[in-house]
Amino acid sequence: MFDDAQVIQDLGISGLTPEQQDTIINEYQIQVGSALAGDLSEEQLEEFEAIIDGNQEVIDRWLQENAPDYKSSEAFQELSKGYDEDPEKVPADKVYASMAWVEKYAGPDFADKVNAIKEHFKADIEQYK
Amino acid sequence: MAEGEPTPSQAQAEIDAHLAARAEKGRQDLLDELLIGDGVHQESYKRAQVVNRKDGTSYERAVEVKGKPLNREEQGHRIEEATEYYKHLEGLAGRSSNHDDYEQRLLETAHEEALAENADRDAADADFQERLNSDPRSRRLQMIAEDIANRRNHVVSDGDDEAELQRILADKEQNFQELFDRYEAEGMDHDVLEHILNGVYVGNTATGSTEQGVVSGSSTTEAGGETGGTGEADETEAVLGGIEFERGDEVEYTNRNGETIRGVIVDELDLDNEDYRVFIVDTPNGRKPVSFAKLVESQGALPVIPGEVGSEVPAKEGQSQEEYEAENNTTGAAEDEDEVPARNPGDIVFPDGSGAETGGDGPETGELEPKSKWEKFKDLFRPSYWGAVWTEKIASRNDRRDEKRAAMTPEEKEKEDKRTRVLKVLGIVGAGVATGVVGTLVVRGIIDSQTAEAASKSLDKAAEASALGWTIPDTFPIESGDGMTQGMQNALQAAGHDLSPEGYSDLHNHLTTTLGPEYLINDGHPSNHMEVDPNTTWIPGAREEAEQWIAEHPEALIR
């Protein structure tokens, strides 16, 4: 999912050098982000930015308003694991909030958009083969 | 009515007024016709327009534009001519007692004008057709444009490999674009280029077609009477240089319906055009005229034009492929047809020398098929290998972004960087959520640990973009009594970190020395006297400077 190996396989770029893969993956991720951002307002993007920046006030407020029972969810509990071994691990509420935020605001057809972008990338890469 | 003449009688005055009104209407009608004929109100056509997206990428779309008008000077001149003419007619009307004669003359004159207009237009069209067909580059582009248009209009049937059709279409569009750009840079007739481009994007398959109908290839349809109304001949250029056909050769080609037709060449049309050859092929459906270009294309190769993109060395006229390869030292690619060429990306050596040993997964297209000589030949002379090409494409796009950034103010750059980072993280998270595995499961509270761990790593990865490995929040609260260092502490603590008191003092001194005392924007303006403000932020560059300092002084961190 977030694993680069999966993206590499999906785009069919496993034969490239790591630097080339990084370049393409970076571009792919920006394109996906741009496509999703197209339907969002500046305020919404600022809110998302605050969440990924770790603005605790924004995170807490958003979770309170949109997922008040998040702490009892299995997802959050799974995300919360591992902090004993890795205290520097990104806070689970930040991760949870970012994913839930995207799912809420990206629209019902965003999975189709992402797949379309992926297919476009694959076709675009393919023509150079 | 002429100046200085005695005032006519009331009846005559009425007649004159009526004639003058008619003359004015006729003048207006003729002006409108002139303008319409000159294209100002002409039916619009579509052409390609490059549209730039916010993220720096671009795409082409068909846009409706007015027909090409005469230039303003010509329009004005013709309007003046019409105005003068009607002034003259008005003068005549004033002196004539027979308004029927006048009207008749008016109609005849308008008709003559219209005829003259038509003649001018026909001459212009003929001139354009000459320009369209006289340039071999134009004929080449038309051939590809028509092929593209046909492929786009092709109705996919059950037996079609749609993915393969799309791949071929994309390949041809790429070739068209490269040739188009090159010819445009060479100064090729712009009107001709625009006309051909319209054919690609509007879908008009006629090569050189105008209101008068298809011009090029008319000799073919006349000579190839067996073909019936439409014929199957490509009204395009046949390019010499590499492949030869002669009577008795068994050939196959793809007709306009996408069907593969097999036959034997029985004759060649005697055309007065050495660059354009048409063969008569005896097929199960009768004898069909087929162009040289169509036969070559169906052999699995594109005709090579000297200097065409993809051919580094021009082929000499009449030169066979073997002679070309021997002369240009390309035998390594085409000596043995049984030899399977390297299509595995891992076997391709990139221009920088890398790649040959990378190995890795092969293409996902399954087993490799032996290539024709022409395929091997094309591969050798492609401008670049696909991995490097793709990254070069992205790099050039990034170069354009960098150019834009160079023109930005620091504030604009800061804003752009922030946006790019947000988009990237949005893309990382969004791509994952889109799989339906994480997002929905997060909401439903069902997630596997592997996915969760990967999710954590993704956000870590975004944070690594900063020198620190984590980012200081862009905004933070200043509460009553807080100073600048307290404000920074509020920011760091919000990110789960903290400095020692000495650390904050040293950081403050560093920022003051580097950026000046007012490195925070408080209450809407840079200041070093803090007011209560829940959204205090940094001046451009200050946050990054703070992160860099902390990264260089980890001893200042207490958590």
Side-chain angles (χ1 to χ4, degrees):
Chain A
M1 178 200 63
F2 296 154
D3 190 355
D4 280 357
Q6 184 64 44
V7 176
I8 291 170
Q9 182 179 343
D10 286 348
L11 295 183
I13 56 174
S14 53
L16 300 188
T17 66
E19 291 76 19
Q20 289 168 334
Q21 289 173 348
D22 284 346
T23 301
I24 293 174
I25 291 173
N26 183 68
E27 183 69 19
Y28 166 70
Q29 288 167 342
I30 291 178
Q31 294 261 353
V32 170
S34 298
L36 296 178
D39 296 330
L40 303 175
S41 67
E42 282 301 316
E43 289 74 23
Q44 287 173 321
L45 287 177
E46 287 174 3
E47 183 179 60
F48 182 73
E49 184 184 17
I51 290 174
I52 64 175
D53 273 344
N55 188 318
Q56 201 60 44
E57 184 183 339
V58 173
I59 291 172
D60 291 342
R61 184 182 69 239
W62 195 91
L63 288 172
Q64 187 63 32
E65 290 174 0
N66 297 278
D69 299 327
Y70 74 95
K71 287 188 178 177
S72 61
S73 73
E74 289 186 34
F76 179 77
Q77 288 167 9
E78 285 292 334
L79 287 171
S80 300
K81 291 179 181 176
Y83 284 93
D84 292 336
E85 294 83 18
D86 183 10
E88 296 301 315
K89 187 176 173 185
V90 179
D93 55 353
K94 175 180 171 182
V95 178
Y96 186 101
S98 67
M99 293 192 296
W101 188 97
V102 168
E103 191 183 45
K104 176 175 179 175
Y105 290 117
D109 61 344
F110 79 91
D112 294 332
K113 284 185 188 176
V114 172
N115 284 330
I117 292 170
K118 188 188 300 182
E119 292 306 314
H120 172 76
F121 257 72
K122 288 169 66 174
D124 224 1
I125 293 170
E126 191 68 25
Q127 71 171 316
Y128 289 104
K129 290 185 179 178
Chain B
M1 183 175 171
E3 289 182 5
E5 286 190 357
T7 306
S9 65
Q10 279 297 105
Q12 189 63 43
E14 285 181 9
I15 293 172
D16 288 344
H18 172 73
L19 290 175
R22 290 291 301 274
E24 175 62 22
K25 183 176 183 310
R27 184 182 76 86
Q28 288 295 335
D29 287 342
L30 186 56
L31 286 179
D32 286 344
E33 187 180 336
L34 288 173
L35 293 175
I36 289 172
D38 290 345
V40 173
H41 300 298
Q42 190 180 33
E43 288 184 3
S44 61
Y45 67 92
K46 291 185 179 180
R47 65 170 172 79
Q49 181 187 65
V50 175
V51 178
N52 295 314
R53 298 194 184 94
K54 292 182 290 185
D55 63 356
T57 60
S58 64
Y59 67 97
E60 286 173 327
R61 67 179 182 187
V63 295
E64 197 168 300
V65 296
K66 298 296 185 183
K68 184 169 69 76
L70 294 177
N71 61 51
R72 295 290 179 191
E73 184 180 338
E74 283 183 88
Q75 284 182 12
H77 183 60
R78 297 180 82 166
I79 291 171
E80 283 175 15
E81 280 183 334
T83 305
E84 288 302 316
Y85 180 73
Y86 274 95
K87 281 182 182 175
H88 171 68
L89 289 182
E90 287 167 10
L92 291 177
R95 291 192 290 273
S96 171
S97 60
N98 189 340
H99 67 274
D100 289 332
D101 290 341
Y102 166 71
E103 285 193 8
Q104 179 64 29
R105 192 164 173 185
L106 185 65
L107 289 172
E108 288 172 359
T109 305
H111 179 65
E112 289 167 9
E113 288 278 347
L115 286 178
E117 280 296 314
N118 286 339
D120 288 345
R121 194 179 302 122
D122 289 346
D125 280 348
D127 173 68
F128 182 78
Q129 287 304 316
E130 174 62 26
R131 288 152 58 195
L132 190 65
N133 296 315
S134 62
D135 190 340
R137 296 173 298 180
S138 166
R139 296 199 295 272
R140 171 64 176 164
L141 283 179
Q142 287 177 70
M143 176 181 74
I144 301 174
E146 182 176 356
D147 191 17
I148 290 172
N150 287 338
R151 288 178 184 277
R152 284 177 176 172
N153 294 331
H154 173 70
V155 177
V156 177
S157 59
D158 287 342
D160 285 339
D161 182 347
E162 191 171 351
E164 179 64 13
L165 292 177
Q166 289 295 328
R167 186 196 69 76
I168 294 172
L169 176 60
D171 194 33
K172 291 186 182 295
E173 287 173 342
Q174 174 72 17
N175 186 28
F176 178 88
Q177 189 62 51
E178 288 171 355
L179 285 176
F180 187 95
D181 290 344
R182 194 180 92 210
Y183 294 161
E184 189 176 37
E186 289 173 358
M188 182 173 161
D189 189 323
H190 176 77
D191 292 339
V192 168
L193 283 172
E194 194 168 357
H195 174 86
I196 297 172
L197 192 62
N198 291 339
V200 171
Y201 286 96
V202 177
N204 295 327
T205 59
T207 52
S209 67
T210 66
E211 292 170 350
Q212 285 78 21
V214 174
V215 174
S216 62
S218 57
S219 59
T220 303
T221 53
E222 287 169 8
E226 301 92 333
T227 65
T230 57
E232 291 180 318
D234 260 354
E235 285 83 19
T236 56
E237 170 196 11
V239 180
L240 301 176
I243 292 182
E244 288 290 333
F245 296 101
E246 50 189 32
R247 292 179 180 77
D249 282 351
E250 292 184 357
V251 295
E252 71 175 39
Y253 65 95
T254 306
N255 67 6
R256 292 179 187 274
N257 298 324
E259 300 161 329
T260 299
I261 306 296
R262 291 187 179 83
V264 176
I265 295 176
V266 296
D267 203 353
E268 180 177 351
L269 294 182
D270 185 16
L271 302 176
D272 185 20
N273 186 337
E274 64 180 8
D275 291 329
Y276 183 9
R277 301 173 65 191
V278 175
F279 298 95
I280 301 298
V281 180
D282 196 9
T283 76
N285 300 323
R287 294 191 170 186
K288 307 289 183 184
V290 185
S291 72
F292 175 85
K294 174 66 75 176
L295 291 177
V296 169
E297 187 180 82
S298 298
Q299 296 296 312
L302 290 174
V304 174
I305 291 183
E308 176 190 1
V309 170
S311 70
E312 302 244 343
V313 177
K316 297 174 185 167
E317 185 172 329
Q319 189 178 35
S320 70
Q321 179 186 345
E322 286 74 18
E323 290 170 350
Y324 181 96
E325 290 169 355
E327 185 174 323
N328 295 288
N329 198 25
T330 65
T331 54
E335 265 181 350
D336 187 355
E337 280 199 1
D338 296 331
E339 197 177 291
V340 176
R343 284 190 66 191
N344 184 333
D347 296 331
I348 296 176
V349 178
F350 297 120
D352 64 358
S354 66
E357 291 83 35
T358 54
D361 297 333
E364 299 179 11
T365 53
E367 292 224 348
L368 299 176
E369 298 175 21
K371 281 191 174 181
S372 68
K373 282 188 179 180
W374 276 107
E375 286 294 326
K376 298 176 191 176
F377 177 78
K378 279 195 299 177
D379 281 347
L380 268 187
F381 287 94
R382 284 196 181 279
S384 51
Y385 297 97
W386 62 272
V389 169
W390 183 246
T391 53
E392 277 295 312
K393 182 178 173 180
I394 295 176
S396 67
R397 186 183 301 156
N398 288 338
D399 287 344
R400 289 196 293 274
R401 285 180 185 157
D402 290 342
E403 286 175 9
K404 285 173 62 178
R405 280 179 57 83
M408 290 181 182
T409 64
E411 291 79 11
E412 288 171 338
K413 285 183 187 176
E414 169 86 2
K415 189 175 176 183
E416 178 70 14
D417 288 344
K418 279 174 53 176
R419 183 172 180 82
T420 299
R421 177 172 166 269
V422 170
L423 292 179
K424 182 170 166 61
V425 177
L426 189 58
I428 293 171
V429 179
V433 175
T435 63
V437 174
V438 175
T440 303
L441 297 180
V442 167
V443 173
R444 295 179 185 174
I446 304 171
I447 190 170
D448 62 69
S449 58
Q450 183 180 8
T451 304
E453 185 176 337
S456 297
K457 285 181 182 173
S458 73
L459 290 169
D460 284 338
K461 200 173 173 184
E464 282 170 12
S466 83
L468 202 55
W470 51 274
T471 56
I472 301 175
D474 196 51
T475 59
F476 48 90
I478 293 289
E479 298 170 352
S480 177
D482 285 349
M484 296 179 81
T485 53
Q486 181 63 51
M488 286 197 290
Q489 186 176 42
N490 295 341
L492 264 66
Q493 287 179 345
H497 295 275
D498 204 356
L499 301 181
S500 65
E502 296 81 10
Y504 281 114
S505 177
D506 290 343
L507 174 58
H508 169 75
N509 291 336
H510 171 74
L511 293 176
T512 300
T513 302
T514 307
L515 302 169
E518 299 177 348
Y519 58 84
L520 294 181
I521 298 176
N522 174 257
D523 198 27
H525 58 89
S527 175
N528 59 350
H529 290 101
M530 298 292 100
E531 303 288 340
V532 174
D533 180 4
N535 294 307
T536 299
T537 186
W538 309 82
I539 65 172
R543 180 168 64 88
E544 288 77 12
E545 189 65 33
E547 288 173 353
Q548 186 67 37
W549 186 90
I550 296 173
E552 293 170 354
H553 299 84
E555 70 280 357
L557 272 169
I558 58 176
R559 73 177 176 99

